[in-house]
């Protein structure tokens, strides 16, 4: 690994869900605690910001244009970046304690998004699948849903519960969208970082941002840690591959969790970092409705 640099000194409270758009050479990300969706054009170095009135946890671009996004109150679609929302699903959980967090589309264009349960005293975080105007509950046994990703053949789904330091795998039937055979993929020791958002490369390696771990880890399909890449922020939140050759790893980070003393050491915390890798990422799937 080489050439790690701060691409966007965003000073974001909680940057998450980096998403590369290969059609426009743009990197999207959200700042959950600032209620924002941002779009950075890599060629012009300009940022567009969409302000909302509640937390946007995650989103995916749509094949028809625009995007689908999961908020505290539910899931909505937008015909373009600045369009008004259309309701897809209104959340039926307690919105005072629960909001959407991590998510992405599977290879057939279904949108999967998981929730986090803020009190973190019960396993009430759930993973939902949205397709054809309906939703399906896939799992409800997490405190904080995170790390959602798919193996290159689409047969394995990864899903982490960050506060419990565990990444799980499921067998995933891409034709039906059904999950089965939940297993522990890797469990991290306490005090060395917690598995947050993730991405998979073309060789099937799982790349996880370790929140409070100051690094990103590359994990083989067999669960072996192959590489650890330091990040100049204590709280990396998620990774995404992109760039012209899909070899750049973009890393979002959280600023608000740092103390003032820590920010003296990590002044770019809350920024979006870029790491040039020797691995090639998968192009992100888009929502098909």
């Amino acid at each position: 690994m080489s050439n790690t640099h701060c691409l966007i000194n965003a000073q974001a409270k909680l940057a998450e869900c980096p998403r590369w758009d290969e059609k426009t050479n743009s990197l999207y990300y959200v700042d959950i605690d600032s209620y924002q969706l941002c779009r950075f054009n890599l060629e012009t170095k300009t940022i567009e910001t969409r302000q909302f009135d509640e937390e946007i946890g995650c989103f995916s671009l749509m094949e028809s244009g625009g995007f689908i996004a999961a908020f505290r109150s539910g899931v909505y679609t937008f015909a373009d970046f600045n369009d008004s929302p259309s309701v897809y699903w209104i959340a039926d959980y307690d919105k005072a304690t629960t909001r959407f967090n991590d998510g992405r589309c599977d290879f057939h264009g279904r949108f999967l998004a998981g929730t986090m349960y803020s009190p973190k005293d019960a396993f009430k975080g759930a993973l939902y699948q949205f397709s054809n105007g309906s939703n399906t509950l896939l799992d409800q046994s997490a405190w904080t849903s995170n790390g959602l990703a798919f193996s290159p053949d689409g047969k394995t789904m990864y899903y982490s519960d960050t506060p419990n330091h565990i990444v799980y795998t499921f067998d995933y039937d891409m034709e039906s969208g059904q999950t089965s055979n939940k297993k522990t993929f890797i469990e991290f020791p306490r005090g060395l970082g917690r598995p947050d958002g993730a991405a998979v490369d073309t060789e099937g390696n799982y790349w996880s941002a370790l929140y409070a771990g100051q690094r990103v880890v590359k994990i083989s399909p067999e669960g072996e840690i192959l590489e650890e890449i330091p990040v100049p922020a204590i709280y990396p939140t998620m990774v995404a591959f992109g760039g012209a050759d899909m070899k750049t790893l973009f890393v979002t980070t959280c600023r608000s969790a740092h103390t003032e003393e820590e920010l003296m050491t990590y002044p770019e915390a809350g920024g979006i970092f870029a790491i040039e890798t020797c691995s090639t990422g998968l192009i992100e799937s888009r929502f098909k409705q």
Side-chain angles (χ1 to χ4, degrees), residues 214 232-235 255-269:
Q214 300 176 245
I234 297 175
Y235 302 98
R255 186 174 183 85
S256 60
H258 291 77
T259 65
E260 289 299 321
E261 183 177 357
E262 289 168 344
L263 290 176
M264 297 292 288
T265 305
Y266 303 101
E268 295 173 323

Side-chain angles (χ1 to χ4, degrees), residues 1-17:
M1 298 297 163
S2 62
N3 192 25
T4 299
H5 67 281
C6 185
L7 178 68
I8 310 168
N9 191 6
Q11 306 279 298
K13 293 179 181 178
L14 178 54
E16 275 275 14
C17 199

